[in-house]
Amino acid sequence: MPAPSSDQRYPLLAGPTALMPLRRLSEHLGGPTIYMKRDDMAGPFPGGNKSRKLEYLLADALAKGADTLVTIGGLQSNHCRQTAVVAASSGLDCTLVLSESAAVKDVQFGRNGNLVIDALLGARLHVIGANEDRTVAAENVCRELVESGRHPYLIPVGGSNVVGALGYRRAAGELLDQCRHADLRPAEIVVCSGSGGTQAGLAFGLAELQSSIPLLGVSCWKRWYELSPIIESLVVGLRGMLGVTDVDIPEIAIDEQEIAAGYGVPTEQAIEAIQLCARLEGILLDPVYTGKAMAGLIRRIRAGTYKREASMVFIHTGGSPALFAYDQFAVSGLRPGGGYDL
Ligand SMILES: *Cc1c(COP(=O)(O)O)cnc(C)c1O
């Protein structure tokens, strides 16, 4: 059977991202050895998990003759910013439909962080209110583009459709290869889950390669009963697209304890996780996604979930530019003693 055109890949990553032990953080926590998969360094700067999805989405857009990428997200969306990077580097125009947040009131939120990068890259920014329908707004933008003779390609929130999920199906194979070479059998793989495409691609890729390593998504947005059907339908979609009906649908494990007050609202636990990673490893997490995911991992380690001699993998999905949009938490709340006032 010929491969469907949409599993074509446009290379944006220079090669596999590093898998590195976090020795000082692991020792500090007194738990298993945490290996970090550095997908924060994936693709053109500033990188992140969206680069892997965009390898497939961009190939699909180019195959369909698109000249403009259109996508949707919050004001500080990493996905939108990385789409703008990729559009600029491949000679396409980019329009971002960005919705304001009802939950975050920080002044920097509406002008700093990823927005600085979006603007520098020349993306057209179409900002809508927190209560406006993002999909309808994006469809209107696309219609206007078509009327003016352009060829838009609409990418959904987070790049989480079946084509985008191919990026993390591929990453699963890359990670398993690295584990094999390092003689590593992780007790678990932990990743942040937002719109679900990353976890879906990984779950499918691991199942396809018959790996028995459990995968846990730490949700920073949707409750498990909303997120797991989304992930399952993406897995079913991947199976259909690739024509591999013999791959079993894996169980989708979701930890929802870090959502707390909601998407984009930092927690004390996330800020502790960000500080620990920064100070012990020199690695920057972010307040929306990876800080919360790492907080989930730290909570599990402290609860004695893993054996001390075990190893485990945390996938760093990126997002550190958003730190600059949260100065209320990251800087002005900094007490002389080094902790944060929340
Ligand atoms: C988008 C994003 C995620 C979540 O990935 P999904 O595929 O949407 O679940 C995690 N971390 C960062 C930094 C992100 O930008």
Side-chain angles (χ1 to χ4, degrees):
M1 194 169 79
S5 68
S6 40
D7 76 349
Q8 296 302 304
R9 186 172 71 93
Y10 182 107
L12 295 167
L13 275 67
T17 58
L19 180 67
M20 58 181 278
L22 303 184
R23 299 217 184 276
R24 280 156 50 78
L25 179 65
S26 304
E27 196 172 312
H28 174 84
L29 296 169
T33 305
I34 304 166
Y35 284 77
M36 183 179 267
K37 175 85 171 142
R38 297 298 303 272
D39 277 12
D40 55 321
M41 316 269 271
F45 184 83
N49 64 337
K50 301 312 176 314
S51 297
R52 290 194 187 265
K53 300 177 179 192
L54 285 162
E55 288 196 319
Y56 290 91
L57 292 162
L58 178 59
D60 192 39
L62 294 173
K64 293 185 166 132
D67 55 23
T68 308
L69 299 182
V70 178
T71 196
I72 312 166
L75 273 188
Q76 287 297 334
S77 165
N78 301 306
H79 163 66
C80 288
R81 174 260 299 154
Q82 203 62 10
T83 300
V85 171
V86 164
S89 70
S90 55
L92 301 180
D93 285 344
C94 182
T95 298
L96 303 176
V97 176
L98 303 175
S99 55
E100 290 176 330
S101 167
V104 185
K105 297 284 179 235
D106 199 304
V107 178
Q108 295 302 324
F109 193 84
R111 51 190 290 178
N112 206 334
N114 282 308
L115 278 175
V116 175
I117 304 174
D118 297 340
L120 280 174
L121 290 162
R124 196 164 70 95
L125 307 183
H126 184 89
V127 178
I128 61 172
N131 296 323
E132 280 180 67
D133 188 312
R134 306 200 271 195
T135 309
V136 170
E139 282 163 3
N140 288 339
V141 162
C142 286
R143 197 173 43 247
E144 283 163 25
L145 284 164
V146 169
E147 280 163 8
S148 63
R150 310 290 300 174
H151 300 281
Y153 180 87
L154 179 59
I155 301 175
V157 173
S160 284
N161 56 15
V162 175
V163 174
L166 286 166
Y168 271 87
R169 170 207 185 214
R170 184 167 189 275
E174 180 181 310
L175 175 60
L176 289 182
D177 272 350
Q178 288 173 313
C179 289
R180 204 172 306 119
H181 281 117
D183 203 18
L184 210 68
R185 284 179 201 78
E188 191 168 56
I189 299 168
V190 172
V191 70
C192 182
S193 214
S195 57
T198 301
Q199 190 175 351
L202 285 170
F204 180 83
L206 292 170
E208 202 180 10
L209 296 167
Q210 295 174 353
S211 163
S212 56
I213 306 170
L215 170 69
L216 177 70
V218 179
S219 179
C220 59
W221 179 12
K222 296 175 194 289
R223 300 286 308 276
W224 68 268
Y225 57 82
E226 299 170 288
L227 184 55
S228 55
I230 293 172
I231 294 175
E232 270 161 29
S233 77
L234 288 171
V235 169
V236 171
L238 282 168
R239 222 168 48 160
M241 172 196 273
L242 299 163
V244 283
T245 43
D246 55 336
V247 176
D248 287 338
I249 309 269
E251 205 184 307
I252 303 300
I254 293 166
D255 180 322
E256 55 173 27
Q257 287 189 50
E258 303 302 323
I259 304 172
Y263 175 78
V265 184
T267 59
E268 204 169 330
Q269 291 81 355
I271 289 173
E272 186 208 8
I274 293 169
Q275 283 188 337
L276 283 175
C277 252
R279 293 170 190 194
L280 294 170
E281 301 289 346
I283 292 172
L284 298 180
L285 301 175
D286 79 282
V288 182
Y289 294 100
T290 53
K292 286 189 169 180
M294 182 59 85
L297 172 58
I298 291 173
R299 169 172 42 78
R300 290 167 69 77
I301 291 173
R302 286 179 177 154
T305 310
Y306 314 97
K307 294 201 182 81
R308 201 185 164 128
E309 50 300 347
S311 59
M312 52 93 43
V313 171
F314 178 88
I315 303 181
H316 187 340
T317 43
S320 61
L323 281 170
F324 304 104
Y326 282 86
D327 86 321
Q328 176 192 334
F329 295 97
V331 183
S332 51
L334 194 64
R335 282 188 261 117
Y340 285 88
D341 276 329
L342 285 169

